[in-house]
């Protein structure tokens, strides 16, 4: 988990893997379902662009509107 300051942007890196634990490459932004829950509230669609780095690693930038709620 990343420590996040309220109402600040944050670059997040994550690893996508298959059932064997192997990195999944070649995914594009539209291949991901992007949802967010702020402080335990219901999940909702989120607007964010996901970029492939390499070998199953991807990144996205959370904006201040994604982090504007206190809590997990």
């Amino acid at each position: 988990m990343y420590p996040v300051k309220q109402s600040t942007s944050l670059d997040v890196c994550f690893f996508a893997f298959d059932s064997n634990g192997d990195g999944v490459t070649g995914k594009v932004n539209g291949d991901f379902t992007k949802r967010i829950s702020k402080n335990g509230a219901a999940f909702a669609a989120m607007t964010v662009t996901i970029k492939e780095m390499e070998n199953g690693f991807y990144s996205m930038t959370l904006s201040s509107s994604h982090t504007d709620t206190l809590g997990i």
Side-chain angles (χ1 to χ4, degrees), residues 2-44:
Y2 290 88
V4 180
K5 285 189 176 185
Q6 187 176 7
S7 298
T8 60
S9 65
L10 175 70
D11 291 328
V12 177
C13 175
F14 64 95
F15 184 70
F17 55 92
D18 63 17
S19 60
N20 295 321
D22 298 325
V24 176
T25 60
K27 295 288 185 189
V28 295
N29 185 51
D31 291 336
F32 291 93
T33 300
K34 298 165 251 181
R35 312 272 296 161
I36 189 169
S37 171
K38 296 180 181 182
N39 197 20
F43 279 89

Side-chain angles (χ1 to χ4, degrees), residues 3-10 63-71:
V4 180
K5 285 189 176 185
Q6 187 176 7
S7 298
T8 60
S9 65
L10 175 70
S63 71
S64 59
S65 66
H66 294 120
T67 63
D68 62 357
T69 303
L70 205 56

